[in-house]
């Protein structure tokens, strides 16, 4: 009996069938996808749903005083769009938000963004091999359904504020605000201000509010934390800059703008510095031991006026167990006369203040909850995969996603900055770019090879979870500390926030998708010839073009310089680029 006959697909081999792709969130990741998807893919109906009034993600939402990047700004930007004009080594929120907005406009991503569009539900229909989304327009209240092929969550993990679970919080009669829901119209002058928390947000808020005229701060602190010497001190010294002067002069900024080579050198030194301190993450490493002594001594010196604060604040856990932050001005603010450092546990919030378990009550006019975000939970809207399984259920007891981007039983759903995406040292933004590139490759494979759906195999997700658990055993991230890197709201025994390795490790792991780790649903059924995607024997590159274009592509593209890979004479193994980064399939 001969092979089953079939009809050729009357399309060129490139296979550019129409697809609908929806991105949830227009922050750093969503903007990146709004640039790369139209650049690399064709016939994609792309829309980016953003619930807020502007693009910018966490940098639009967080507007508290002192809000800034806590890594060098020249490392917190798109690799292809360097900004020579950062005003400070740690750029303020407004500049970062403006940079993201300008990048989105510059590269055309705003064409695809739908502002004030809040995704309420995502439900997979396995018969149709489609996602059904319910969208609410926050300006009109209108709700509508969208049926699409691929969904990418790009909402980040710093977008769902976590309020403290303290009895009586709603009874407080003064001003209450979360660091991510800031009342910019409130006047803090001559106010008694209670600040709950000492994570990254509080560390930036305290120095700003401490300087407000007549302000009296009560800082309620329950956790120890490392305040590290500003990341990049060595970089600044290498470049002849003063580590105590974090602002760039107009002259320096002009130099960066006029001398691209100088800017590139500056960026390179920052990136090398960040990527070569990975060893500090390992418990008992020489770098970790050296940092413990250095930062402990530095903190005690900066807290000399109130040594009791140092006694409480300096941790016994390793540097990095909690997110380390440079905290410019934080320790200096804590020792000022108008700041009260309170370590007694909070019993409850009263209508006029904070009641402590010691019996003392601290009267305040305003209460600032710098208590972070729900980072170890599913998105705050319903996502249902195969069999009606919710992502919230799948992320119980802890969230896990294969290589941080895919979850079993959730076909055609991809995540940007999903579980285990962040990094302890090195560049986060380059990881996000590579996650985006990975997702674009997945969409292209679905489109080109006529697959209706791809789903990661459950066994590979289990393998990934086991790999993560084993890797982190050797690191400071599993020391005893409260950290958003961990499951169960920061107190669990699984590290769910960080990539299990260095930034460079992540880039290589995401470089070439392992298609064998996925199951595939053919567009025309399992019985169809799986090589039907080869089409009719034609390529777009030598077909008739439209309008004034003679061809739809270039019939001899392979001899153009940009496609040419010329090996070194005599010793091709001395290829410079492949010594910088090994070849991969």
């Amino acid at each position: 009996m001969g092979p089953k006959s079939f009809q050729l697909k009357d399309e060129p081999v490139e296979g550019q069938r129409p697809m609908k792709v929806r991105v949830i969130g227009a922050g750093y990741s969503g903007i990146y996808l709004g640039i790369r998807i139209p650049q690399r893919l064709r016939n994609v109906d792309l829309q980016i749903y953003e619930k807020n009034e502007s693009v910018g993600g966490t940098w639009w939402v967080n507007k508290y005083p002192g809000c800034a990047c806590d890594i060098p700004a020249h490392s917190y930007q798109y690799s292809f769009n360097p900004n020579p004009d950062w005003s400070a080594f740690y750029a303020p929120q407004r500049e970062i938000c403006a940079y993201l907005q300008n990048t989105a406009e510059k590269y055309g991503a705003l064409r695809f963004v739908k502002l004030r569009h809040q995704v309420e539900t995502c439900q997979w229909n396995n018969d149709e091999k489609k996602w059904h989304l319910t969208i609410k327009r926050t300006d009109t209240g209108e709700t509508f359904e969208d049926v699409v092929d691929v969904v990418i969550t790009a909402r980040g993990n710093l977008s769902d504020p976590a309020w403290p679970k303290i009895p009586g919080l709603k009874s407080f009669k003064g001003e209450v605000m979360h660091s991510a829901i800031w009342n910019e119209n409130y006047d803090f002058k001559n106010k008694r201000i209670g600040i709950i928390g000492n994570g990254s947000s509080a560390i930036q808020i305290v120095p700003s509010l401490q300087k407000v005229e007549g302000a009296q701060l009560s800082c309620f602190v329950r956790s120890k934390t490392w305040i590290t010497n500003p990341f990049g001190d060595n970089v600044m010294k290498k470049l002849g800059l003063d580590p105590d002067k974090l602002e760039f002069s107009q002259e320096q900024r002009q130099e960066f703008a006029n001398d691209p080579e100088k800017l590139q050198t500056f960026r390179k030194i920052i990136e090398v510095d960040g990527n070569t301190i990975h060893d500090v993450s390992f418990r008992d490493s020489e770098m970790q031991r050296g940092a413990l002594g250095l930062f402990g001594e530095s903190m005690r010196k900066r807290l000399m006026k109130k040594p009791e604060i140092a006694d409480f604040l300096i941790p016994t856990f390793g540097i990095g167990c909690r997110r380390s932050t440079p905290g410019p001005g934080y320790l200096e603010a804590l020792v000022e006369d108008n700041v009260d450092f309170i370590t007694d546990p909070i019993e409850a919030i009263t209508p006029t203040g904070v009641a402590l378990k010691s019996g003392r009550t601290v009267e305040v006019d305003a209460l600032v909850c710098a208590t972070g975000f729900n980072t170890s939970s599913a998105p705050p809207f319903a996502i249902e995969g195969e069999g009606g399984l919710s992502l919230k259920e799948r992320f119980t007891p802890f969230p896990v996603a294969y290589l941080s981007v895919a979850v079993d039983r959730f076909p055609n759903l991809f995540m940007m900055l999903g579980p285990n995406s962040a990094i302890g040292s090195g560049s986060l933004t380059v990881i996000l770019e590579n996650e985006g590139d990975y997702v674009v490759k997945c969409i292209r494979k679905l489109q080109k090879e006529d697959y209706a759906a791809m789903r990661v195999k459950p066994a590979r997700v289990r393998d990934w979870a086991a790999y993560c658990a084993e890797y982190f055993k050797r690191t400071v991230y599993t020391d005893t500390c409260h950290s958003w890197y961990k499951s169960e709201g920061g107190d669990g025994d699984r590290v769910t926030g960080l990539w299990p390795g260095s930034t460079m490790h992540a880039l290589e792991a995401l470089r070439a998708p392992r298609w064998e780790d996925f199951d595939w649903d053919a567009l025309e059924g399992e019985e169809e010839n799986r090589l039907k995607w080869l089409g009719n024997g034609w390529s777009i590159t030598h077909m008739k073009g439209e309008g004034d274009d003679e061809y739809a592509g270039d019939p001899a593209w392979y001899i153009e310089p940009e496609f040419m890979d010329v090996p070194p004479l005599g010793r091709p193994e001395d290829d410079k680029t492949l010594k910088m980064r090994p070849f991969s399939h």
Side-chain angles (χ1 to χ4, degrees):
M1 189 173 177
K4 180 183 174 182
S5 63
F6 75 101
Q7 283 191 321
L8 290 178
K9 174 186 171 186
D10 193 19
E11 298 286 344
V13 68
E14 284 80 8
Q16 296 178 338
R17 82 173 193 269
M19 292 186 72
K20 282 188 174 182
V21 176
R22 297 295 179 262
V23 177
I24 303 173
Y28 193 101
S29 299
I31 292 169
Y32 184 76
L33 291 165
I35 296 168
R36 292 304 191 195
I37 288 177
Q39 178 192 9
R40 295 172 179 170
L41 305 180
R42 297 294 176 266
N43 283 345
V44 170
D45 175 347
L46 172 66
Q47 291 189 13
I48 303 169
Y49 291 130
E50 171 53 58
K51 66 181 179 180
N52 293 310
E53 305 82 40
S54 173
V55 303
T58 191
W59 297 105
W60 168 261
V61 171
N62 286 276
K63 299 176 181 177
Y64 60 81
C67 184
C69 193
D70 59 7
I71 63 170
H74 290 88
S75 183
Y76 195 85
Q77 56 186 353
Y78 295 103
S79 59
F80 56 86
N81 190 32
N83 177 21
D85 200 37
W86 296 118
S87 68
F89 201 67
Y90 304 107
Q93 168 265 335
R94 291 183 189 278
E95 281 186 34
I96 299 172
C97 191
Y99 167 79
L100 291 171
Q101 292 167 338
N102 292 339
T103 301
E105 183 175 6
K106 179 178 177 180
Y107 291 96
L110 294 179
R111 296 173 294 164
F112 310 105
V113 177
K114 302 293 183 185
L115 299 175
R116 299 184 180 88
H117 282 60
Q118 182 167 311
V119 176
E120 299 206 312
T121 63
C122 298
Q123 192 170 38
W124 174 255
N125 185 309
N126 206 47
D127 293 329
E128 299 175 4
K129 310 296 183 194
K130 303 278 188 183
W131 281 100
H132 287 243
L133 279 60
T134 304
I135 319 296
K136 180 180 180 180
R137 290 194 54 170
T138 59
D139 53 349
T140 65
E142 172 197 355
T143 299
F144 63 93
E145 186 180 71
D146 197 6
V147 181
V148 304
D149 298 292
V150 173
V151 173
I152 309 166
T153 66
R155 47 178 295 280
N157 55 16
L158 302 179
S159 59
D160 184 20
W163 289 90
K165 296 178 174 63
I166 302 174
L169 180 61
K170 292 184 179 178
S171 72
F172 183 66
K173 293 181 178 178
E175 180 73 22
V176 181
M177 63 185 83
H178 190 280
S179 57
I181 312 171
W182 198 261
N183 181 359
E184 295 182 88
N185 297 318
Y186 184 75
D187 186 1
F188 285 96
K189 284 182 182 177
N190 301 309
K191 297 294 195 304
R192 299 166 299 175
I193 309 163
I195 301 173
I196 300 174
N198 69 326
S200 298
S201 300
I203 287 168
Q204 294 182 337
I205 290 170
V206 169
S208 295
L209 293 185
Q210 182 271 324
K211 297 183 182 75
V212 173
E213 181 185 334
Q216 181 64 45
L217 275 59
S218 296
C219 298
F220 300 95
V221 176
R222 67 173 183 172
S223 301
K224 298 176 181 294
T225 192
W226 286 105
I227 305 298
T228 60
N229 288 352
F231 173 9
D233 270 14
N234 291 333
V235 174
M236 297 181 82
K237 288 175 182 175
K238 285 177 187 176
L239 293 171
L241 302 175
D242 184 349
D244 294 326
K245 292 183 180 177
L246 298 177
E247 287 75 32
F248 292 113
S249 68
Q250 195 59 48
E251 184 183 0
Q252 287 171 318
R253 292 155 71 177
Q254 200 64 49
E255 247 188 299
F256 283 142
N258 295 337
D259 189 347
E261 191 174 325
K262 186 179 180 70
L263 177 60
Q264 174 69 8
T265 299
F266 188 78
R267 294 176 63 201
K268 181 82 171 184
I269 293 174
I270 288 174
E271 297 299 329
V272 170
D273 192 57
N275 287 328
T276 51
I277 60 169
H278 176 58
D279 199 40
V280 77
S281 65
F282 292 99
R283 195 179 295 113
D284 298 324
S285 68
E286 185 178 339
M287 188 175 286
Q288 173 69 212
R289 289 196 301 271
L292 285 169
L294 180 68
F295 296 146
E297 182 183 349
S298 171
M299 288 181 67
R300 288 197 180 276
K301 186 176 179 181
R302 293 163 69 186
L303 293 167
M304 277 178 63
K305 279 174 64 178
K306 295 182 181 179
E308 68 278 9
I309 296 180
D311 292 340
F312 176 86
L313 200 59
I314 296 175
T316 55
F317 54 75
I319 292 170
C321 182
R322 293 187 77 193
R323 177 168 170 76
S324 298
T325 180
Y330 177 64
L331 299 180
E332 290 74 11
L334 292 182
V335 299
E336 292 296 328
D337 295 337
N338 65 333
V339 178
D340 193 9
F341 187 81
I342 300 169
T343 60
D344 294 342
I346 296 174
E347 179 75 34
I349 305 296
T350 72
T352 59
V354 180
L356 305 176
K357 289 188 177 179
S358 62
R360 175 187 169 199
T361 296
V362 180
E363 301 289 320
V364 295
D365 303 305
L367 202 54
V368 173
C369 299
T371 45
F373 301 85
N374 294 310
T375 58
S376 60
S377 57
F381 51 87
I383 300 180
E384 290 186 3
E386 292 178 317
L389 177 70
S390 73
L391 192 60
K392 185 177 181 180
E393 291 173 306
R394 181 63 190 85
F395 277 6
T396 303
F398 59 87
V400 59
Y402 166 82
L403 296 184
S404 303
V405 297
V407 184
D408 54 310
R409 297 184 64 183
F410 290 81
N412 294 11
L413 175 74
F414 302 99
M415 292 183 162
M416 298 284 289
L417 202 60
N420 295 106
S421 271
I423 199 74
S425 63
S427 172
L428 170 65
T429 51
V430 75
I431 290 182
L432 295 182
E433 290 186 22
N434 279 261
E435 286 182 350
D437 296 345
Y438 185 101
V439 172
V440 171
K441 289 173 185 174
C442 290
I443 298 171
R444 182 67 183 118
K445 185 172 176 73
L446 287 167
Q447 181 190 46
K448 180 179 180 180
E449 298 181 19
D450 287 340
Y451 288 115
M454 61 184 290
R455 57 179 64 70
V456 66
K457 295 175 179 177
R460 295 297 81 77
V461 180
R462 290 194 297 271
D463 288 345
W464 168 255
Y467 175 84
C468 290
E470 189 61 28
Y471 172 83
F472 285 117
K473 286 179 183 177
R474 306 174 298 155
T475 70
V476 295
Y477 305 123
T478 48
D479 285 359
T480 303
C481 71
H482 177 84
S483 168
W484 71 260
Y485 295 158
K486 297 181 178 181
S487 59
E488 299 175 34
D491 294 312
D493 59 0
R494 300 288 301 215
V495 176
T496 57
L498 296 178
W499 178 271
S502 67
T503 296
M504 308 308 288
H505 175 270
L507 302 192
E508 188 61 29
L510 292 165
R511 187 176 182 183
R514 275 173 48 99
W515 302 125
E516 63 268 33
D517 290 347
F518 294 85
D519 288 321
W520 304 84
D521 292 345
L523 192 64
E524 296 186 13
E526 298 308 303
E527 299 303 315
E528 188 55 82
N529 187 312
R530 286 299 183 98
L531 294 185
K532 191 172 180 178
W533 65 270
L534 288 169
N536 57 12
W538 284 81
S539 164
I540 283 176
T541 58
H542 61 126
M543 290 175 65
K544 189 177 186 309
E546 295 181 1
D548 295 333
D549 295 326
E550 185 177 3
Y551 299 105
D554 184 337
W557 58 265
Y558 46 85
I559 64 169
E560 292 298 325
E562 56 264 46
F563 294 102
M564 197 68 63
D565 183 6
V566 181
L569 296 176
R571 289 178 58 85
E573 60 269 32
D574 289 337
D575 189 304
K576 183 180 175 183
T577 58
L578 294 178
K579 284 190 172 184
M580 294 169 72
R581 187 188 196 190
F583 177 76
S584 178
H585 58 83

